[in-house]
Amino acid sequence: MDSFVYHAPTRIVFGKDTVDRTGTELAAYAVKHVLLVTGGSSAKRTGAYDRVLASLKEAGIGHTPFEGVTPNPSLELVESGIDAARACKAKGVLAIGGGSVIDCAKAIAAGVYLDDYWAVVETRKPVTQALPVFTVLTLSGTGSEMNERAIITNEPLAKKWSLNGLCLCPKVSIIDPQLQAGLPWRLTASGGIDAMTHVMEYYFRGRLADAQTGYFHEETTLQICEGLLRSLILSLDELQKDGANYSARANLAWAACWGLNGLSGSGLSGGDWTSHALEHAVSGMYPAVPHGEGLAVLFPSWMEEVYDKVPDIFTRFARNVWGVDSPQQGLEATRAAFARWGAPQRLSHWNIPESAIPDMVKNAFAYRALGRLTPLSYDDVMRIFMRVL
Ligand code: NZQ
Ligand code: ZN
C-alpha cells in the first residue's frame, strides 16, 4: 500500500430539510456577506434558493446574487464572478447547484486573491488563499462538495483544467437529498456514472499481493471502493424505477461524495485518471458535452484498451462488483449498465467529427500524464477515441 495523506476537512450537513440550516452553518464562521452563486433556474425551481435566502436573512447574513453559471463553466464566467465578489466585498462564497456551480464558486473564491486566474492554473501549483466556500448541493456526482479542486474551461484555448488547493475545500456542504427529487433521469444517471468513474479511476491501481489467497496490497481501500460501486449501481437502478425514492437519492448522494474526497484513493498511488483527461479534452473543445455522459462513452473504451495488461485487478473488479468471472465480462457489464441507464455510447451523439480527435489527444496529453496504470502511447489514446467515434 502506498503512503498517503488523507484530509477531508469539509463539514457535511446531510439529510431532509438541512437546506434550512444554511444560515446557521455560515454564521458559525462569522461570515457576514456572501456572493451567492447559482446556475440557470434549478436553484429556484427546487425551492432551494428561497429557503437559503430565508435562512440567511434569519442569521443576519447579507448576499449578492451571481446567477447564470452554465455547465462546464468558462474562465470568462469566473472572471465576472471575481469582479462581483470584489465589488460587494464578499466575505465568503455560497454555491447552490451541481459541480459546475460549485467549481465556479471555488474558482471565484480563489480568484479574488489572484491577478491572473489562468496564469496560476497553468503553473499547476496549489493555491493557498481563498474566501471560505460553502455549498448547497443539488446534483450528486462530481464530489466537488467535499474536495479541493475546481475545473474551469478556458474556451479560447480549449483547455479544461483544474485549480487545486486545500483552501478550496468547502467549509460546509449541505446535502439535502430532497433537493434532487425532481432531477431528470438523464442528469441523475450522468452524475451517478461520474461518481462511479471516480472510484474506478483509483480502483484499478490495486495490486495483487498474494496469488494464492487473492489478497491485494490495498485490500481495505479496494473493499471500500467495491462497496461504493455496488451502492451506486443499486441506487441508480432504484432511481431509474422511481426518481422520488428518498433512500436511493440519499445513498447515491453519500456514495458520490465519498467517491472523490480522498478515501476511495487512499494507498492507490493517486489513481490513473486517463479517462478524465480524455473527457476534459472532449468537453474543453465541446462544452455542450456533459461530463458524466462523456465519461460513459470514454471509460469503457479505456477499460477495453488496458484490461488484458492488468488482469488481476480487472478480474477482481468483475467478480466483486458485477458477480461475473472474467475481465471482459466485467467490461461488458459496465458498458451494459451505462447503456441501460440511457447514457450515450458514442462521440457521434454530439456530432464530434473524426477530424477533431488528434487535437483532443494532444489536449489530453498536455493536461496530465496519461497511462499511469499501464503506459499509453499516442496511438493507444487515438484508438480509445476512435473505438467510440
Ligand atoms: O444550471 P441549472 O439550472 O442549475 O441546471 C443544472 C445543469 O443544467 C442541472 N441541475 C442541477 N441541479 C438540479 C438540476 N436540474 C434539476 N434539478 C436539480 N436539483 O443540472 C445540469 C448540470 O449541472 P452541472 O453542475 O454542470 O453538473 P455536474 O454536477 O455533473 O458538474 C459537472 C462539472 O463538474 C466538473 C465537470 O468537469 C463539469 O465541469 N467536475 C468537477 C470535479 C471536482 N470539482 O472535483 C470532478 C469531476 O470529475 C468533474 O470534472
Ligand atoms: Zn468526474
Side-chain angles (χ1 to χ4, degrees), residues 28 30 72 84 101 115 151 186 193 226 289 295-296 307 329 343 373:
N72 299 326
V101 172
D115 293 332
I151 320 271
R186 190 179 67 81
I193 290 170
E226 287 155 3
V289 176
L295 284 161
Y307 75 81
Q329 287 171 320
L373 172 60

Side-chain angles (χ1 to χ4, degrees), residues 204 302-303 306-307 310-318 326-327 373:
F204 289 116
W302 169 81
M303 288 171 79
V306 301
Y307 75 81
V310 271
D312 298 332
I313 187 67
F314 275 90
T315 303
R316 177 180 173 128
F317 170 77
S326 71
L373 172 60

Side-chain angles (χ1 to χ4, degrees), residues 194 197-198 276 291 295:
D194 185 24
T197 65
H198 296 155
H276 267 72
H291 175 66
L295 284 161

Side-chain angles (χ1 to χ4, degrees), residues 11-14 16-27 51 55 174:
R11 175 176 162 88
I12 297 291
V13 180
F14 190 102
K16 287 182 182 170
D17 300 324
T18 48
V19 61
D20 300 321
R21 282 167 51 186
T22 309
T24 321
E25 289 297 326
L26 266 71
R51 291 170 75 179
S55 118
I174 310 263

Side-chain angles (χ1 to χ4, degrees), residues 40-42 72 99-100 103 138 147 149 160 179 198 276 280 291:
S41 56
S42 73
N72 299 326
S100 295
D103 283 6
T138 65
N147 71 36
R149 69 187 63 81
K160 186 183 187 189
L179 299 180
H198 296 155
H276 267 72
H280 286 182
H291 175 66

